[in-house]
mmCIF file of all heavy atoms in Angstrom:
data_model
loop_
_atom_site.group_PDB
_atom_site.id
_atom_site.type_symbol
_atom_site.label_atom_id
_atom_site.label_comp_id
_atom_site.label_asym_id
_atom_site.label_seq_id
_atom_site.Cartn_x
_atom_site.Cartn_y
_atom_site.Cartn_z
ATOM 1 N N ILE A 11 5.501 -2.351 -25.448
ATOM 2 C CA ILE A 11 5.461 -2.839 -24.074
ATOM 3 C C ILE A 11 4.498 -2.036 -23.213
ATOM 4 O O ILE A 11 3.843 -2.586 -22.339
ATOM 5 C CB ILE A 11 6.882 -2.860 -23.443
ATOM 6 C CG1 ILE A 11 6.863 -3.455 -22.026
ATOM 7 C CG2 ILE A 11 7.453 -1.450 -23.359
ATOM 8 C CD1 ILE A 11 6.572 -4.908 -21.967
ATOM 9 N N THR A 12 4.378 -0.732 -23.461
ATOM 10 C CA THR A 12 3.498 0.090 -22.636
ATOM 11 C C THR A 12 2.030 -0.194 -22.884
ATOM 12 O O THR A 12 1.189 0.282 -22.149
ATOM 13 C CB THR A 12 3.775 1.594 -22.852
ATOM 14 O OG1 THR A 12 3.558 1.900 -24.229
ATOM 15 C CG2 THR A 12 5.173 1.967 -22.424
ATOM 16 N N HIS A 13 1.707 -0.991 -23.886
ATOM 17 C CA HIS A 13 0.320 -1.345 -24.173
ATOM 18 C C HIS A 13 -0.020 -2.759 -23.699
ATOM 19 O O HIS A 13 -1.100 -3.247 -23.985
ATOM 20 C CB HIS A 13 0.037 -1.209 -25.678
ATOM 21 C CG HIS A 13 0.018 0.213 -26.131
ATOM 22 N ND1 HIS A 13 -1.129 0.955 -26.202
ATOM 23 C CD2 HIS A 13 1.012 1.043 -26.504
ATOM 24 C CE1 HIS A 13 -0.844 2.179 -26.618
ATOM 25 N NE2 HIS A 13 0.455 2.251 -26.803
ATOM 26 N N SER A 14 0.874 -3.407 -22.978
ATOM 27 C CA SER A 14 0.600 -4.762 -22.523
ATOM 28 C C SER A 14 -0.062 -4.745 -21.150
ATOM 29 O O SER A 14 0.132 -3.828 -20.349
ATOM 30 C CB SER A 14 1.893 -5.579 -22.456
ATOM 31 O OG SER A 14 2.638 -5.237 -21.301
ATOM 32 N N HIS A 15 -0.847 -5.775 -20.895
ATOM 33 C CA HIS A 15 -1.508 -5.905 -19.592
ATOM 34 C C HIS A 15 -0.476 -6.097 -18.486
ATOM 35 O O HIS A 15 -0.628 -5.556 -17.390
ATOM 36 C CB HIS A 15 -2.497 -7.069 -19.599
ATOM 37 C CG HIS A 15 -3.671 -6.844 -20.493
ATOM 38 N ND1 HIS A 15 -4.574 -5.831 -20.288
ATOM 39 C CD2 HIS A 15 -4.088 -7.491 -21.599
ATOM 40 C CE1 HIS A 15 -5.497 -5.867 -21.222
ATOM 41 N NE2 HIS A 15 -5.214 -6.862 -22.044
ATOM 42 N N TRP A 16 0.574 -6.848 -18.774
ATOM 43 C CA TRP A 16 1.617 -7.087 -17.773
ATOM 44 C C TRP A 16 2.281 -5.784 -17.349
ATOM 45 O O TRP A 16 2.532 -5.568 -16.169
ATOM 46 C CB TRP A 16 2.673 -8.060 -18.298
ATOM 47 C CG TRP A 16 2.153 -9.452 -18.407
ATOM 48 C CD1 TRP A 16 1.854 -10.122 -19.557
ATOM 49 C CD2 TRP A 16 1.837 -10.334 -17.338
ATOM 50 N NE1 TRP A 16 1.373 -11.367 -19.253
ATOM 51 C CE2 TRP A 16 1.357 -11.526 -17.899
ATOM 52 C CE3 TRP A 16 1.913 -10.235 -15.949
ATOM 53 C CZ2 TRP A 16 0.956 -12.610 -17.128
ATOM 54 C CZ3 TRP A 16 1.519 -11.317 -15.187
ATOM 55 C CH2 TRP A 16 1.044 -12.481 -15.769
ATOM 56 N N PHE A 17 2.549 -4.937 -18.307
ATOM 57 C CA PHE A 17 3.162 -3.650 -17.994
ATOM 58 C C PHE A 17 2.219 -2.814 -17.125
ATOM 59 O O PHE A 17 2.627 -2.250 -16.108
ATOM 60 C CB PHE A 17 3.521 -2.889 -19.272
ATOM 61 C CG PHE A 17 4.122 -1.544 -19.004
ATOM 62 C CD1 PHE A 17 5.448 -1.423 -18.615
ATOM 63 C CD2 PHE A 17 3.364 -0.382 -19.125
ATOM 64 C CE1 PHE A 17 6.011 -0.180 -18.345
ATOM 65 C CE2 PHE A 17 3.917 0.860 -18.864
ATOM 66 C CZ PHE A 17 5.240 0.961 -18.468
ATOM 67 N N GLY A 18 0.965 -2.738 -17.520
ATOM 68 C CA GLY A 18 -0.008 -1.941 -16.773
ATOM 69 C C GLY A 18 -0.161 -2.402 -15.336
ATOM 70 O O GLY A 18 -0.143 -1.595 -14.398
ATOM 71 N N TYR A 19 -0.290 -3.710 -15.137
ATOM 72 C CA TYR A 19 -0.447 -4.215 -13.776
ATOM 73 C C TYR A 19 0.852 -4.123 -12.973
ATOM 74 O O TYR A 19 0.817 -3.939 -11.760
ATOM 75 C CB TYR A 19 -1.008 -5.635 -13.780
ATOM 76 C CG TYR A 19 -2.498 -5.620 -14.027
ATOM 77 C CD1 TYR A 19 -3.025 -6.007 -15.247
ATOM 78 C CD2 TYR A 19 -3.375 -5.173 -13.044
ATOM 79 C CE1 TYR A 19 -4.388 -5.965 -15.489
ATOM 80 C CE2 TYR A 19 -4.731 -5.121 -13.266
ATOM 81 C CZ TYR A 19 -5.246 -5.522 -14.490
ATOM 82 O OH TYR A 19 -6.583 -5.458 -14.713
ATOM 83 N N SER A 20 1.991 -4.207 -13.629
ATOM 84 C CA SER A 20 3.267 -4.015 -12.929
ATOM 85 C C SER A 20 3.384 -2.581 -12.432
ATOM 86 O O SER A 20 3.810 -2.342 -11.294
ATOM 87 C CB SER A 20 4.446 -4.343 -13.846
ATOM 88 O OG SER A 20 4.419 -5.690 -14.218
ATOM 89 N N VAL A 21 2.989 -1.627 -13.267
ATOM 90 C CA VAL A 21 3.003 -0.219 -12.859
ATOM 91 C C VAL A 21 2.061 -0.018 -11.672
ATOM 92 O O VAL A 21 2.406 0.658 -10.694
ATOM 93 C CB VAL A 21 2.616 0.704 -14.038
ATOM 94 C CG1 VAL A 21 2.360 2.124 -13.561
ATOM 95 C CG2 VAL A 21 3.694 0.677 -15.098
ATOM 96 N N MET A 22 0.878 -0.610 -11.750
ATOM 97 C CA MET A 22 -0.072 -0.484 -10.642
ATOM 98 C C MET A 22 0.514 -1.042 -9.357
ATOM 99 O O MET A 22 0.412 -0.414 -8.296
ATOM 100 C CB MET A 22 -1.377 -1.215 -10.966
ATOM 101 C CG MET A 22 -2.228 -0.538 -11.980
ATOM 102 S SD MET A 22 -3.707 -1.538 -12.258
ATOM 103 C CE MET A 22 -4.330 -0.760 -13.740
ATOM 104 N N LEU A 23 1.114 -2.217 -9.431
ATOM 105 C CA LEU A 23 1.681 -2.840 -8.236
ATOM 106 C C LEU A 23 2.774 -1.977 -7.621
ATOM 107 O O LEU A 23 2.792 -1.755 -6.405
ATOM 108 C CB LEU A 23 2.214 -4.229 -8.570
ATOM 109 C CG LEU A 23 2.753 -5.039 -7.400
ATOM 110 C CD1 LEU A 23 1.657 -5.267 -6.359
ATOM 111 C CD2 LEU A 23 3.303 -6.365 -7.888
ATOM 112 N N VAL A 24 3.654 -1.465 -8.454
ATOM 113 C CA VAL A 24 4.738 -0.617 -7.946
ATOM 114 C C VAL A 24 4.159 0.667 -7.336
ATOM 115 O O VAL A 24 4.524 1.068 -6.232
ATOM 116 C CB VAL A 24 5.765 -0.298 -9.053
ATOM 117 C CG1 VAL A 24 6.723 0.785 -8.623
ATOM 118 C CG2 VAL A 24 6.518 -1.565 -9.445
ATOM 119 N N ALA A 25 3.247 1.312 -8.037
ATOM 120 C CA ALA A 25 2.676 2.561 -7.541
ATOM 121 C C ALA A 25 1.863 2.344 -6.270
ATOM 122 O O ALA A 25 1.852 3.203 -5.380
ATOM 123 C CB ALA A 25 1.813 3.210 -8.622
ATOM 124 N N LEU A 26 1.199 1.207 -6.178
ATOM 125 C CA LEU A 26 0.375 0.942 -4.998
ATOM 126 C C LEU A 26 1.201 0.566 -3.770
ATOM 127 O O LEU A 26 0.643 0.372 -2.695
ATOM 128 C CB LEU A 26 -0.673 -0.117 -5.317
ATOM 129 C CG LEU A 26 -1.798 0.374 -6.230
ATOM 130 C CD1 LEU A 26 -2.636 -0.792 -6.740
ATOM 131 C CD2 LEU A 26 -2.669 1.416 -5.553
ATOM 132 N N THR A 27 2.520 0.523 -3.906
ATOM 133 C CA THR A 27 3.339 0.342 -2.709
ATOM 134 C C THR A 27 3.234 1.556 -1.793
ATOM 135 O O THR A 27 3.613 1.485 -0.630
ATOM 136 C CB THR A 27 4.820 0.055 -3.048
ATOM 137 O OG1 THR A 27 5.344 1.141 -3.805
ATOM 138 C CG2 THR A 27 4.965 -1.256 -3.794
ATOM 139 N N PHE A 28 2.679 2.657 -2.315
ATOM 140 C CA PHE A 28 2.392 3.802 -1.446
ATOM 141 C C PHE A 28 1.389 3.421 -0.359
ATOM 142 O O PHE A 28 1.324 4.070 0.681
ATOM 143 C CB PHE A 28 1.870 5.000 -2.247
ATOM 144 C CG PHE A 28 2.953 5.803 -2.908
ATOM 145 C CD1 PHE A 28 3.078 5.823 -4.283
ATOM 146 C CD2 PHE A 28 3.841 6.556 -2.151
ATOM 147 C CE1 PHE A 28 4.068 6.576 -4.896
ATOM 148 C CE2 PHE A 28 4.838 7.307 -2.752
ATOM 149 C CZ PHE A 28 4.953 7.313 -4.133
ATOM 150 N N ILE A 29 0.613 2.372 -0.578
ATOM 151 C CA ILE A 29 -0.299 1.887 0.461
ATOM 152 C C ILE A 29 0.517 1.444 1.667
ATOM 153 O O ILE A 29 0.209 1.811 2.806
ATOM 154 C CB ILE A 29 -1.179 0.726 -0.062
ATOM 155 C CG1 ILE A 29 -2.157 1.242 -1.113
ATOM 156 C CG2 ILE A 29 -1.925 0.040 1.085
ATOM 157 C CD1 ILE A 29 -2.934 0.162 -1.831
ATOM 158 N N PHE A 30 1.564 0.674 1.414
ATOM 159 C CA PHE A 30 2.426 0.222 2.504
ATOM 160 C C PHE A 30 3.045 1.413 3.228
ATOM 161 O O PHE A 30 3.074 1.461 4.461
ATOM 162 C CB PHE A 30 3.533 -0.699 1.971
ATOM 163 C CG PHE A 30 4.526 -1.091 3.020
ATOM 164 C CD1 PHE A 30 4.229 -2.066 3.949
ATOM 165 C CD2 PHE A 30 5.759 -0.455 3.096
ATOM 166 C CE1 PHE A 30 5.139 -2.424 4.937
ATOM 167 C CE2 PHE A 30 6.675 -0.797 4.075
ATOM 168 C CZ PHE A 30 6.362 -1.782 4.997
ATOM 169 N N VAL A 31 3.519 2.384 2.460
ATOM 170 C CA VAL A 31 4.139 3.571 3.061
ATOM 171 C C VAL A 31 3.124 4.319 3.919
ATOM 172 O O VAL A 31 3.434 4.743 5.038
ATOM 173 C CB VAL A 31 4.732 4.498 1.975
ATOM 174 C CG1 VAL A 31 5.268 5.782 2.576
ATOM 175 C CG2 VAL A 31 5.824 3.774 1.192
ATOM 176 N N GLY A 32 1.899 4.471 3.426
ATOM 177 C CA GLY A 32 0.854 5.161 4.180
ATOM 178 C C GLY A 32 0.502 4.439 5.470
ATOM 179 O O GLY A 32 0.341 5.065 6.524
ATOM 180 N N VAL A 33 0.376 3.112 5.398
ATOM 181 C CA VAL A 33 0.072 2.324 6.605
ATOM 182 C C VAL A 33 1.212 2.454 7.605
ATOM 183 O O VAL A 33 0.988 2.643 8.809
ATOM 184 C CB VAL A 33 -0.195 0.842 6.248
ATOM 185 C CG1 VAL A 33 -0.247 -0.026 7.492
ATOM 186 C CG2 VAL A 33 -1.484 0.712 5.451
ATOM 187 N N LYS A 34 2.435 2.385 7.135
ATOM 188 C CA LYS A 34 3.589 2.500 8.028
ATOM 189 C C LYS A 34 3.660 3.882 8.673
ATOM 190 O O LYS A 34 3.901 4.006 9.872
ATOM 191 C CB LYS A 34 4.881 2.207 7.265
ATOM 192 C CG LYS A 34 6.124 2.222 8.151
ATOM 193 C CD LYS A 34 7.366 1.948 7.368
ATOM 194 C CE LYS A 34 8.616 1.964 8.208
ATOM 195 N NZ LYS A 34 8.722 2.983 9.219
ATOM 196 N N ARG A 35 3.433 4.918 7.876
ATOM 197 C CA ARG A 35 3.452 6.290 8.434
ATOM 198 C C ARG A 35 2.343 6.460 9.470
ATOM 199 O O ARG A 35 2.557 7.068 10.519
ATOM 200 C CB ARG A 35 3.299 7.328 7.323
ATOM 201 C CG ARG A 35 4.414 7.352 6.312
ATOM 202 C CD ARG A 35 5.619 8.078 6.765
ATOM 203 N NE ARG A 35 5.283 9.475 6.991
ATOM 204 C CZ ARG A 35 6.094 10.353 7.541
ATOM 205 N NH1 ARG A 35 7.294 9.986 7.898
ATOM 206 N NH2 ARG A 35 5.727 11.598 7.722
ATOM 207 N N TYR A 36 1.163 5.934 9.184
ATOM 208 C CA TYR A 36 0.051 6.002 10.129
ATOM 209 C C TYR A 36 0.420 5.277 11.425
ATOM 210 O O TYR A 36 0.205 5.801 12.519
ATOM 211 C CB TYR A 36 -1.209 5.387 9.500
ATOM 212 C CG TYR A 36 -2.387 5.342 10.432
ATOM 213 C CD1 TYR A 36 -3.078 6.505 10.774
ATOM 214 C CD2 TYR A 36 -2.832 4.136 10.964
ATOM 215 C CE1 TYR A 36 -4.164 6.462 11.626
ATOM 216 C CE2 TYR A 36 -3.914 4.085 11.819
ATOM 217 C CZ TYR A 36 -4.574 5.250 12.147
ATOM 218 O OH TYR A 36 -5.658 5.213 13.000
ATOM 219 N N ARG A 37 0.993 4.086 11.276
ATOM 220 C CA ARG A 37 1.418 3.313 12.445
ATOM 221 C C ARG A 37 2.442 4.084 13.267
ATOM 222 O O ARG A 37 2.326 4.210 14.483
ATOM 223 C CB ARG A 37 2.013 1.979 12.005
ATOM 224 C CG ARG A 37 2.482 1.110 13.173
ATOM 225 C CD ARG A 37 3.424 0.040 12.734
ATOM 226 N NE ARG A 37 4.716 0.651 12.372
ATOM 227 C CZ ARG A 37 5.672 0.023 11.734
ATOM 228 N NH1 ARG A 37 5.522 -1.235 11.352
ATOM 229 N NH2 ARG A 37 6.809 0.630 11.462
ATOM 230 N N ASP A 38 3.439 4.640 12.593
ATOM 231 C CA ASP A 38 4.532 5.305 13.299
ATOM 232 C C ASP A 38 4.124 6.640 13.907
ATOM 233 O O ASP A 38 4.500 6.944 15.039
ATOM 234 C CB ASP A 38 5.719 5.518 12.358
ATOM 235 C CG ASP A 38 6.366 4.207 11.937
ATOM 236 O OD1 ASP A 38 6.082 3.159 12.558
ATOM 237 O OD2 ASP A 38 7.145 4.221 10.961
ATOM 238 N N LEU A 39 3.369 7.444 13.176
ATOM 239 C CA LEU A 39 3.058 8.797 13.640
ATOM 240 C C LEU A 39 1.795 8.896 14.486
ATOM 241 O O LEU A 39 1.726 9.738 15.372
ATOM 242 C CB LEU A 39 2.949 9.735 12.435
ATOM 243 C CG LEU A 39 4.218 9.885 11.593
ATOM 244 C CD1 LEU A 39 3.960 10.770 10.387
ATOM 245 C CD2 LEU A 39 5.361 10.425 12.430
ATOM 246 N N GLU A 40 0.804 8.072 14.210
ATOM 247 C CA GLU A 40 -0.468 8.188 14.916
ATOM 248 C C GLU A 40 -0.656 7.119 15.986
ATOM 249 O O GLU A 40 -1.433 7.324 16.908
ATOM 250 C CB GLU A 40 -1.645 8.088 13.924
ATOM 251 C CG GLU A 40 -1.592 9.091 12.798
ATOM 252 C CD GLU A 40 -1.776 10.532 13.256
ATOM 253 O OE1 GLU A 40 -2.478 10.755 14.268
ATOM 254 O OE2 GLU A 40 -1.194 11.430 12.622
ATOM 255 N N ARG A 41 0.023 5.995 15.850
ATOM 256 C CA ARG A 41 -0.205 4.871 16.746
ATOM 257 C C ARG A 41 1.009 4.508 17.585
ATOM 258 O O ARG A 41 1.042 3.453 18.189
ATOM 259 C CB ARG A 41 -0.634 3.640 15.947
ATOM 260 C CG ARG A 41 -1.889 3.792 15.147
ATOM 261 C CD ARG A 41 -3.105 3.898 16.053
ATOM 262 N NE ARG A 41 -4.257 3.368 15.393
ATOM 263 C CZ ARG A 41 -5.093 2.493 15.906
ATOM 264 N NH1 ARG A 41 -4.926 2.051 17.109
ATOM 265 N NH2 ARG A 41 -6.112 2.076 15.224
ATOM 266 N N GLY A 42 2.014 5.342 17.600
ATOM 267 C CA GLY A 42 3.178 5.097 18.436
ATOM 268 C C GLY A 42 3.993 3.868 18.044
ATOM 269 O O GLY A 42 4.648 3.263 18.886
ATOM 270 N N GLY A 43 3.943 3.496 16.776
ATOM 271 C CA GLY A 43 4.745 2.376 16.285
ATOM 272 C C GLY A 43 4.082 1.020 16.388
ATOM 273 O O GLY A 43 4.685 0.011 16.022
ATOM 274 N N VAL A 44 2.834 0.976 16.876
ATOM 275 C CA VAL A 44 2.133 -0.298 17.025
ATOM 276 C C VAL A 44 0.757 -0.182 16.379
ATOM 277 O O VAL A 44 0.043 0.807 16.588
ATOM 278 C CB VAL A 44 1.958 -0.664 18.519
ATOM 279 C CG1 VAL A 44 1.178 -1.950 18.681
ATOM 280 C CG2 VAL A 44 3.304 -0.764 19.207
ATOM 281 N N ILE A 45 0.391 -1.182 15.588
ATOM 282 C CA ILE A 45 -0.933 -1.168 14.962
ATOM 283 C C ILE A 45 -1.422 -2.606 14.803
ATOM 284 O O ILE A 45 -0.642 -3.508 14.536
ATOM 285 C CB ILE A 45 -0.903 -0.430 13.603
ATOM 286 C CG1 ILE A 45 -2.315 -0.132 13.111
ATOM 287 C CG2 ILE A 45 -0.098 -1.195 12.579
ATOM 288 C CD1 ILE A 45 -2.357 0.833 11.932
ATOM 289 N N ARG A 46 -2.718 -2.782 14.977
ATOM 290 C CA ARG A 46 -3.329 -4.091 14.787
ATOM 291 C C ARG A 46 -3.741 -4.244 13.319
ATOM 292 O O ARG A 46 -3.737 -3.280 12.567
ATOM 293 C CB ARG A 46 -4.518 -4.249 15.723
ATOM 294 C CG ARG A 46 -4.065 -4.163 17.202
ATOM 295 C CD ARG A 46 -5.167 -4.297 18.197
ATOM 296 N NE ARG A 46 -5.758 -5.598 18.439
ATOM 297 C CZ ARG A 46 -5.144 -6.667 18.945
ATOM 298 N NH1 ARG A 46 -3.869 -6.592 19.232
ATOM 299 N NH2 ARG A 46 -5.791 -7.779 19.156
ATOM 300 N N PHE A 47 -4.105 -5.465 12.970
ATOM 301 C CA PHE A 47 -4.411 -5.771 11.579
ATOM 302 C C PHE A 47 -5.573 -4.931 11.038
ATOM 303 O O PHE A 47 -5.457 -4.339 9.956
ATOM 304 C CB PHE A 47 -4.729 -7.269 11.424
ATOM 305 C CG PHE A 47 -5.101 -7.640 10.025
ATOM 306 C CD1 PHE A 47 -4.125 -7.865 9.072
ATOM 307 C CD2 PHE A 47 -6.434 -7.728 9.644
ATOM 308 C CE1 PHE A 47 -4.464 -8.191 7.763
ATOM 309 C CE2 PHE A 47 -6.785 -8.060 8.341
ATOM 310 C CZ PHE A 47 -5.806 -8.289 7.401
ATOM 311 N N LEU A 48 -6.693 -4.895 11.733
ATOM 312 C CA LEU A 48 -7.872 -4.211 11.173
ATOM 313 C C LEU A 48 -7.677 -2.711 10.956
ATOM 314 O O LEU A 48 -8.043 -2.209 9.894
ATOM 315 C CB LEU A 48 -9.109 -4.487 12.024
ATOM 316 C CG LEU A 48 -9.704 -5.881 11.846
ATOM 317 C CD1 LEU A 48 -10.916 -6.075 12.749
ATOM 318 C CD2 LEU A 48 -10.079 -6.151 10.404
ATOM 319 N N PRO A 49 -7.108 -1.976 11.914
ATOM 320 C CA PRO A 49 -6.862 -0.559 11.612
ATOM 321 C C PRO A 49 -5.882 -0.367 10.447
ATOM 322 O O PRO A 49 -6.064 0.521 9.607
ATOM 323 C CB PRO A 49 -6.280 -0.002 12.908
ATOM 324 C CG PRO A 49 -6.736 -0.926 13.974
ATOM 325 C CD PRO A 49 -6.831 -2.273 13.324
ATOM 326 N N ALA A 50 -4.857 -1.210 10.379
ATOM 327 C CA ALA A 50 -3.897 -1.109 9.278
ATOM 328 C C ALA A 50 -4.584 -1.438 7.955
ATOM 329 O O ALA A 50 -4.381 -0.749 6.949
ATOM 330 C CB ALA A 50 -2.724 -2.057 9.514
ATOM 331 N N PHE A 51 -5.435 -2.473 7.959
ATOM 332 C CA PHE A 51 -6.156 -2.832 6.749
ATOM 333 C C PHE A 51 -7.127 -1.721 6.347
ATOM 334 O O PHE A 51 -7.282 -1.427 5.160
ATOM 335 C CB PHE A 51 -6.908 -4.157 6.947
ATOM 336 C CG PHE A 51 -7.675 -4.589 5.737
ATOM 337 C CD1 PHE A 51 -7.010 -4.892 4.555
ATOM 338 C CD2 PHE A 51 -9.051 -4.681 5.770
ATOM 339 C CE1 PHE A 51 -7.718 -5.287 3.429
ATOM 340 C CE2 PHE A 51 -9.764 -5.070 4.651
ATOM 341 C CZ PHE A 51 -9.102 -5.380 3.481
ATOM 342 N N GLY A 52 -7.747 -1.081 7.321
ATOM 343 C CA GLY A 52 -8.656 0.029 7.024
ATOM 344 C C GLY A 52 -7.950 1.179 6.323
ATOM 345 O O GLY A 52 -8.455 1.724 5.333
ATOM 346 N N VAL A 53 -6.777 1.541 6.807
ATOM 347 C CA VAL A 53 -6.001 2.610 6.167
ATOM 348 C C VAL A 53 -5.580 2.168 4.759
ATOM 349 O O VAL A 53 -5.688 2.933 3.791
ATOM 350 C CB VAL A 53 -4.759 2.985 7.008
ATOM 351 C CG1 VAL A 53 -3.841 3.927 6.250
ATOM 352 C CG2 VAL A 53 -5.188 3.617 8.324
ATOM 353 N N GLY A 54 -5.126 0.927 4.627
ATOM 354 C CA GLY A 54 -4.717 0.413 3.319
ATOM 355 C C GLY A 54 -5.879 0.346 2.339
ATOM 356 O O GLY A 54 -5.739 0.725 1.169
ATOM 357 N N LEU A 55 -7.029 -0.100 2.805
ATOM 358 C CA LEU A 55 -8.214 -0.197 1.948
ATOM 359 C C LEU A 55 -8.673 1.190 1.502
ATOM 360 O O LEU A 55 -8.973 1.404 0.325
ATOM 361 C CB LEU A 55 -9.334 -0.920 2.697
ATOM 362 C CG LEU A 55 -10.592 -1.231 1.921
ATOM 363 C CD1 LEU A 55 -10.279 -2.169 0.763
ATOM 364 C CD2 LEU A 55 -11.627 -1.869 2.850
#
């Protein structure tokens, strides 16, 4: 199973949820809880 493409991309998807956490932390700590799409997308990208 660890050699399948599905497994590899599933691991990537789960691990890349840190993008959401990073965007949320940036929004909460640097932007006072409010963020527009482009700045959030920039941090995520």
Side-chain angles (χ1 to χ4, degrees):
I11 184 69
T12 60
H13 290 267
S14 77
H15 293 297
W16 289 108
F17 179 78
Y19 282 106
S20 297
V21 169
M22 287 179 193
L23 184 60
V24 169
L26 288 168
T27 59
F28 279 112
I29 292 172
F30 175 78
V31 175
V33 169
K34 184 181 180 319
R35 297 280 297 172
Y36 177 73
R37 180 198 71 192
D38 293 346
L39 298 177
E40 304 293 330
R41 300 291 210 130
V44 177
I45 193 168
R46 298 180 74 64
F47 178 82
L48 285 179
F51 180 63
V53 171
L55 186 62

